[in-house]
Amino acid sequence: MKKIAGVFAILVFFATNVTAQIQLTRNGKVTFFSLAPLENIEAVNNEVTSILDVKKGEFAFVVLIKSFKFKKALMEEHFNENYMESNTFPKASFKGSITDMSKLDFTKDGTYPVTVAGDLTIHGITKKVEAPGTLTITGDIINATSKFSAKVKDYNIKIPSVVENKIAETVDVSVDCKYEPSKKS
């Protein structure tokens, strides 16, 4: 519970008294996939917390690293202990915005291609990123999806030499978040 409160506190700075402009999810999904010569690596995290300010077009995401689930327990252990050092770097985050809000109408149902730009922090390293995405608006529900690639070395994630040929240098990341209006407390 303490973790959840801390994660939510990070996102609260976006919230204002006008809650109708704030959309929230606590069960967004982030998947990563690494095509590797010996064995593909894939993990899913269904506990992503994210907030979207529809008036400003700003997004914030917090992803708890230990919430990524793998098909093999040993992969998950190595991921947390050896690569991501999740006790030292317990979360990844993104803070950014839609680059061209003039193409969106949050009051009209539809599917809108967007580009999001901002700061992605993984393993304690923050990099500027830009990624394509899609917003699908249905009533007061907004579904946001995106796919992009991240280079492992850009985030100072060390791959032991004994397995470096088995792990791809680039990881494909997929994001799928269903936002609902935040409730006024």
Side-chain angles (χ1 to χ4, degrees):
M1 184 66 173
K2 189 176 181 182
K3 279 186 196 178
I4 293 171
V7 167
F8 192 69
I10 291 169
L11 298 176
V12 142
F13 76 93
F14 270 104
T16 65
N17 290 334
V18 185
T19 59
Q21 70 188 21
I22 302 298
Q23 301 279 105
L24 175 72
T25 185
R26 290 187 182 97
N27 56 359
K29 178 179 176 181
V30 171
T31 304
F32 74 81
F33 178 80
S34 172
L35 181 63
L38 288 180
E39 185 172 23
N40 295 334
I41 301 166
E42 184 173 18
V44 178
N45 185 329
N46 288 307
E47 300 175 12
V48 175
T49 300
S50 180
I51 195 164
L52 165 62
D53 182 328
V54 298
K55 185 174 181 181
K56 297 177 183 177
E58 295 175 343
F59 283 95
F61 290 83
V62 175
V63 180
L64 296 177
I65 300 303
K66 285 187 177 181
S67 293
F68 279 100
K69 300 301 174 204
F70 293 74
K71 289 181 182 175
K72 295 182 179 179
L74 188 58
M75 274 188 182
E76 191 169 320
E77 182 181 326
H78 287 178
F79 172 79
N80 282 300
E81 292 177 9
N82 302 333
Y83 304 115
M84 295 302 290
E85 302 172 280
S86 57
N87 286 333
T88 304
F89 306 105
K91 66 183 182 235
S93 63
F94 175 80
K95 181 181 174 191
S97 59
I98 298 167
T99 60
D100 189 359
M101 285 287 290
S102 67
K103 294 180 180 179
L104 287 166
D105 183 352
F106 286 103
T107 64
K108 184 177 175 184
D109 286 2
T111 300
Y112 301 89
V114 295
T115 300
V116 178
D119 294 323
L120 177 62
T121 301
I122 302 172
H123 201 247
I125 305 294
T126 302
K127 296 282 185 182
K128 297 272 184 210
V129 297
E130 187 170 289
T134 303
L135 293 182
T136 302
I137 300 167
T138 308
D140 61 356
I141 305 296
I142 300 171
N143 195 72
T145 59
S146 180
K147 290 184 179 184
F148 62 95
S149 296
K151 292 185 179 181
V152 173
K153 70 178 181 179
D154 286 351
Y155 295 94
N156 201 26
I157 299 168
K158 305 278 189 248
I159 307 299
S161 59
V162 74
V163 294
E164 70 183 344
N165 292 333
K166 299 176 185 176
I167 297 176
E169 295 176 10
T170 302
V171 175
D172 295 324
V173 180
S174 298
V175 178
D176 188 351
C177 290
K178 181 178 176 181
Y179 296 91
E180 297 180 1
S182 67
K183 307 288 188 252
K184 206 170 198 174
S185 346

